[in-house]
Amino acid sequence: MDNRKKNILSRNKIHTQMSEAGAYTVTTLEPWPSDVKLYQPYEVEQILLQDQANSLAVQVFLRMCGLEFQVEMRSNAEHMSPSGKLPFIKCGAFVVADLDPIVSFIANKGINLTDHLDAAQKADMRAYMSLANNILGNAELYISWCDENVLNEVTCPRYGSVYSWPLNTLLTWRKQKQVTKKLTALGWITKTLDEVYEDVDHCCNALSERLGNHLYFFNDRCTELDAVVFGHVFTLLTTPLPDNRLASIVRSYPNLVEACQFLEKAFFQKPTAKTTDDDGDNFN
Amino acid sequence: MQTSERNNPETAAETADVPLQLSNIKALVEKINVEGLGRTKDDLVIKTIKELFEAKDFQQVVLKSQEVRTKLEKLGCFKTVGVFIDTSKGEDATSSGLEITFTVKELKRVLGGINTLVGNNEGSLVIGSNLPNTFGRGEKLQVEYTYGTKQSKGFNGMFVKPLHNKANSILTSSFYQQNSEWASSGYHLCEQGISLDASFDSVPLLRHSVQWEGVWRELSCHSRTTTFPVREQAGHSLKSALRHVIHYDNRDSAVFSNRGTLFRMVQELAGLGGDVGFVKHELTYQLNVPITNDVVLQGSFQGGFMKRLNDEKMIYICDRFFLGGPHTIRGFEQRGIGPQSDNQALGAQTYWAAGLHLFTPLPFKPGHGGLGDILRTHFFVNAGNIDNFNFGNNIKESARILTDRYRLSYGMGLMLRLGTVARIELNYCVPLKCQRGDRTHHGVQVAVGVQFL
């Protein structure tokens, strides 16, 4: 709830920022600059599950839109972000963080992936997106910060890796308190690990049913939902953890895995991404 | 009995039969009493008053007892110190024997207070408490909480231990948290740190401080409009630095000085641990020359230079130098000179600034002896330059780079003295030479502060 409020808030701020610039209409028509950068923490030694998932989601979304960008890794990406969320993009003078605000920012430039959806489908897509983000996102947070094993073996060394002593322990502890507070507000803190796994299983089940034997969730063409699910599924499948039950749960839904592999091939193993329509057509 | 009015002996009289020639009266201090001692340690008091026994005549006794009294007051143990000189009584007393009694009143164990403080363009409220003379040798334990008008909140705790030696050595250890807002550079800074300081006089008036400081800094963006080069530096950093400060000040007063020199040099080496690394030198010089009775010419110079230590350690925006504003080069906005991005100052690694001021009393000296004495008019010319210069190989080349594209402003104004350290300036400024990107301020500029160029 809190989360969503913040999203809406930041989205509003972008709008006002744009209109303050006195060039709202001009901005919408302004072409996508060539020097757009996406900022995220260091992938190999620093980034954590949820940030990785979100970053991948935004990256694949931008590629789906056929927009060019470069990935910049910064150890202080979290603090550079205007809302504290990751990843964020810098497009000209604008700095926009998190998927939803980025989607609406790009929609203001006249580019979106949801034109082919009717109203009901759009509502559906929103619901599934929030399902994926809430359940999978929070599960990732929970595993990273509340599971002793993962916390000590993965999260702490990674989060503190960019700081010198004693900041590494201090800041990790501070972040842990922050995340714990958030999970408490969301009611996740009282869950056991098994309950979390169960939630993830339910969520994957729902997504898998919606996907059926297609490669995209709606009309065999890509939407934000595909990007979000790709981010989470790919991250959960490829991130090594002391306990790989999360990966095995996801793996038990072959159609999700297949869609994920397909998107990876389509958008990450080509030098440049083509436009959405082309990709959709290729598949058909 | 306080005989300060008799301190100066009559040097003219040389004959022995002048009765009031104090230096001819043989005297021997036989006994010294100190009344009112509580927790103050005896060894410290004995060390301070011992020299009184060396006095050979009455004049010396009087002078030395005054000296000792001042020393006792400076120990930081007593609120008041009184002296009483009497002839010594008792069985062992000789005819020239004296007995001196110091009546002291110790400071309370706990002191507290609420003060207002004026810093550079910012007022703040300070709530503090201290334990003077904590362990009986003039130590001080102090905690303070500061609430400023510019969202600068902070607290600090300090333990001061004077060593009571010839060099006036003082050891200080402290911890602090400080928040500051720098809208002109688009960032907010929260610093938490500990520091150790040893200061001493090498020759009279020349004070040295050797400091170590470990600070955790959190730099965050001031708003959504914070320019990207500043945004890139947001986050946490850890600085561990050694610093050497030399301070020399023989001015007759800190504000509206009539004569004297101020010299201050700071050398800092950061990078002993932590991720911040640089070598930094900074120098301040001020010379006051009286031209007539109350017209004073003041020349001042500031300069600073810093260099990154190595490729692994960083210099952050909060480490850099800034220039411009009513406290440095007048006629420019706060931090309005030097590298900027979206009208936000990024700071630089080298700067110099110089000022020439002519201070005069108000025309026709209204309010002489009253309000007029805390008011002055001044005329000034300020100049300076700041940038990340790439110096040439020889001195000539470097000097050319430093003076190329310098800034210049002049103006006049009214100054009001606040207490003994701060002043308010109301100036009309005209920027004469500026460069592209500078934020100038032509017109009236107001400043409150302690340190001015």
Side-chain angles (χ1 to χ4, degrees):
Chain A
M1 191 62 199
D2 197 346
N3 245 349
R4 197 175 304 167
K5 246 188 210 164
K6 262 190 194 159
N7 280 347
I8 292 165
L9 208 70
S10 49
R11 215 179 311 162
N12 284 345
K13 273 187 186 158
I14 294 157
H15 283 297
T16 45
Q17 203 177 34
M18 292 173 87
S19 45
E20 258 168 24
Y24 187 75
T25 44
V26 179
T27 319
T28 53
L29 299 173
E30 213 174 65
W32 187 253
S34 57
D35 62 342
V36 173
K37 285 184 175 151
L38 178 137
Y39 289 84
Q40 66 160 56
Y42 284 102
E43 208 164 278
V44 181
E45 53 276 76
Q46 190 192 7
I47 204 168
L48 300 178
L49 277 178
Q50 199 199 20
D51 294 341
Q52 173 74 54
N54 290 344
S55 178
L56 280 176
V58 172
Q59 285 184 45
V60 80
F61 170 77
L62 291 174
R63 282 169 195 250
M64 282 170 173
C65 295
L67 300 170
E68 271 180 41
F69 64 95
Q70 279 176 309
V71 179
E72 279 266 333
M73 302 197 201
R74 294 290 171 90
S75 58
N76 60 341
E78 181 188 350
H79 307 283
M80 286 165 69
S81 161
S83 63
K85 297 204 169 174
L86 290 172
F88 67 93
I89 57 165
K90 178 183 180 288
C91 174
F94 299 102
V95 181
V96 191
D98 211 14
L99 183 68
D100 280 346
I102 289 174
V103 168
S104 45
F105 175 72
I106 286 166
N108 277 324
K109 291 189 181 293
I111 304 167
N112 69 62
L113 298 177
T114 49
D115 275 346
H116 57 92
L117 301 182
D118 58 38
Q121 281 177 318
K122 271 185 188 165
D124 249 20
M125 185 196 77
R126 294 248 134 243
Y128 277 104
M129 268 173 80
S130 90
L131 176 79
N133 272 333
N134 284 334
I135 304 292
L136 298 180
N138 288 335
E140 283 154 5
L141 267 190
Y142 183 95
I143 297 287
S144 301
W145 294 97
C146 300
D147 180 62
E148 284 292 318
N149 254 340
V150 179
L151 182 66
N152 294 330
E153 284 175 38
V154 182
T155 311
C156 287
R158 284 178 77 87
Y159 191 81
S161 67
V162 293
Y163 300 109
S164 44
W165 183 88
L167 280 192
N168 50 5
T169 20
L170 206 72
L171 291 174
T172 312
W173 175 75
R174 208 168 86 160
K175 178 76 181 177
Q176 193 196 351
K177 261 181 50 180
Q178 243 175 53
V179 173
T180 315
K181 206 172 147 193
K182 185 181 166 187
L183 289 178
T184 311
L186 293 169
W188 273 68
I189 208 78
T190 49
K191 290 188 184 185
T192 62
L193 197 57
D194 286 326
E195 282 173 334
V196 171
Y197 287 142
E198 211 172 292
D199 279 353
V200 172
D201 192 47
H202 285 316
C203 173
C204 288
N205 192 22
L207 289 171
S208 169
E209 266 177 26
R210 167 74 229 182
L211 185 64
N213 52 5
H214 300 268
L215 286 169
Y216 293 108
F217 281 94
F218 295 97
N219 307 346
D220 284 335
R221 291 168 78 173
C222 34
T223 57
E224 288 101 282
L225 178 60
D226 296 293
V228 168
V229 173
F230 170 79
H232 288 296
V233 169
F234 191 85
T235 306
L236 293 177
L237 285 177
T238 55
T239 311
L241 292 174
D243 176 5
N244 60 356
R245 263 179 71 190
L246 268 183
S248 51
I249 291 171
V250 177
R251 212 164 272 132
S252 64
Y253 297 94
N255 59 341
L256 288 182
V257 178
E258 203 180 313
C260 167
Q261 282 166 343
F262 169 77
L263 284 177
E264 195 215 349
K265 256 188 215 130
F267 293 110
F268 285 92
Q269 292 180 355
K270 275 193 266 177
T272 49
K274 288 185 190 171
T275 59
T276 38
D277 285 351
D278 282 348
D279 282 316
D281 290 344
N282 277 352
F283 168 66
N284 289 333
Chain B
M1 186 175 76
Q2 288 160 12
T3 52
S4 54
E5 67 272 19
R6 291 201 218 153
N7 271 354
N8 298 319
E10 298 93 312
T11 46
E14 277 181 355
T15 45
D17 51 352
V18 174
L20 270 177
Q21 181 65 322
L22 290 177
S23 55
N24 286 338
I25 303 173
K26 282 246 156 46
L28 183 70
V29 178
E30 289 188 332
K31 220 184 211 178
I32 302 175
N33 299 318
V34 183
E35 280 174 12
L37 286 182
R39 62 186 190 278
T40 309
K41 298 279 190 249
D42 289 348
D43 60 329
L44 177 65
V45 179
I46 292 170
K47 203 169 115 189
T48 319
I49 60 179
K50 214 164 52 183
E51 61 179 271
L52 257 175
F53 287 117
E54 290 160 16
K56 298 218 166 54
D57 54 56
F58 194 70
Q59 181 189 329
Q60 276 182 6
V61 171
V62 172
L63 289 177
K64 287 214 180 217
S65 54
Q66 277 308 317
E67 255 172 53
V68 168
R69 185 180 167 214
T70 324
K71 275 189 186 167
L72 282 174
E73 276 171 345
K74 276 190 184 160
L75 285 182
C77 302
F78 310 119
K79 204 155 108 189
T80 54
V81 181
V83 198
F84 185 77
I85 304 176
D86 200 358
T87 52
S88 114
K89 293 176 188 97
E91 287 180 5
D92 311 337
T94 57
S95 59
S96 57
L98 291 177
E99 188 176 326
I100 300 175
T101 307
F102 289 98
T103 320
V104 298
K105 196 168 176 198
E106 283 190 344
L107 286 163
K108 284 190 183 142
R109 279 197 179 266
V110 184
L111 295 176
I114 300 179
N115 303 303
T116 46
L117 199 79
V118 180
N120 283 0
N121 267 0
E122 168 165 25
S124 41
L125 185 75
V126 183
I127 303 166
S129 165
N130 67 62
L131 309 176
N133 198 12
T134 324
F135 301 112
R137 291 195 177 85
E139 302 88 349
K140 193 162 92 173
L141 195 65
Q142 175 182 314
V143 279
E144 268 178 358
Y145 175 80
T146 314
Y147 188 90
T149 50
K150 286 191 182 163
Q151 292 180 311
S152 58
K153 273 172 271 181
F155 63 83
N156 69 69
M158 203 197 305
F159 180 68
V160 184
K161 164 87 188 156
L163 294 185
H164 305 295
N165 57 9
K166 271 199 176 144
N168 263 328
S169 308
I170 295 176
L171 303 179
T172 310
S173 57
S174 61
F175 66 90
Y176 61 90
Q177 188 193 53
Q178 199 176 15
N179 282 284
S180 51
E181 193 92 19
W182 295 100
S184 47
S185 287
Y187 70 85
H188 173 102
L189 188 67
C190 174
E191 296 169 286
Q192 296 180 59
I194 46 173
S195 76
L196 301 171
D197 177 311
S199 57
F200 55 90
D201 295 338
S202 58
V203 293
L205 287 177
L206 188 64
R207 189 125 188 106
H208 295 258
S209 294
V210 180
Q211 303 169 340
W212 172 80
E213 191 181 45
V215 208
W216 162 27
R217 294 114 40 109
E218 184 177 0
L219 200 139
S220 46
C221 297
H222 177 255
S223 71
R224 287 193 152 256
T225 51
T226 295
T227 183
F228 206 75
V230 176
R231 189 174 285 282
E232 274 180 309
Q233 301 179 52
H236 301 267
S237 59
L238 190 69
K239 181 176 102 169
S240 159
L242 267 183
R243 202 181 291 135
H244 177 219
V245 183
I246 298 177
H247 189 90
Y248 175 85
D249 188 356
N250 71 350
R251 295 174 300 171
D252 52 353
S253 76
V255 198
F256 299 169
S257 347
N258 290 314
R259 54 180 56 80
T261 312
L262 167 75
F263 175 78
R264 187 180 159 86
M265 193 166 77
V266 185
Q267 284 160 307
E268 187 175 350
L269 171 70
L272 313 151
D275 61 331
V276 181
F278 57 80
V279 190
K280 190 175 186 176
H281 306 274
E282 200 171 4
L283 180 133
T284 310
Y285 181 78
Q286 189 194 86
L287 178 69
N288 297 286
V289 183
I291 293 178
T292 66
N293 215 0
D294 27 47
V295 178
V296 180
L297 187 70
Q298 181 188 76
S300 50
F301 178 82
Q302 289 175 5
F305 171 71
M306 69 191 293
K307 216 175 120 182
R308 206 164 148 182
L309 205 59
N310 54 38
D311 288 341
E312 288 157 35
K313 309 254 177 185
M314 298 271 292
I315 296 181
Y316 287 86
I317 187 168
C318 49
D319 300 313
R320 291 173 201 275
F321 297 116
F322 294 89
L323 200 60
H327 298 94
T328 57
I329 299 191
R330 295 157 182 84
F332 290 85
E333 298 285 349
Q334 184 87 28
R335 294 185 163 189
I337 302 178
Q340 315 264 329
S341 165
D342 297 329
N343 278 334
Q344 288 165 26
L346 301 177
Q349 298 189 13
T350 311
Y351 87 101
W352 65 268
L356 197 65
H357 292 247
L358 187 73
F359 298 103
T360 65
L362 295 185
F364 313 114
K365 296 191 184 176
H368 185 64
L371 189 68
D373 285 356
I374 59 167
L375 283 166
R376 289 275 194 289
T377 46
H378 77 149
F379 303 88
F380 62 84
V381 182
N382 290 162
N385 201 357
I386 181 168
D387 214 329
N388 299 312
F389 300 108
N390 288 316
F391 288 107
N393 290 326
N394 56 51
I395 296 174
K396 230 180 180 178
E397 173 80 358
S398 306
R400 189 191 60 75
I401 290 168
L402 273 174
T403 48
D404 216 16
R405 289 159 44 90
Y406 68 97
R407 278 73 161 182
L408 187 70
S409 67
Y410 68 91
M412 60 176 289
L414 202 64
M415 304 194 311
L416 174 73
R417 185 171 59 118
L418 296 174
T420 52
V421 286
R423 73 190 198 207
I424 301 180
E425 279 190 13
L426 178 78
N427 297 325
Y428 186 86
C429 318
V430 185
L432 205 61
K433 275 187 84 122
C434 57
Q435 302 296 335
R436 248 186 77 167
D438 287 353
R439 285 175 284 134
T440 56
H441 186 111
H442 187 135
V444 175
Q445 210 169 25
V446 185
V448 186
V450 179
Q451 284 170 322
F452 286 90
L453 175 75

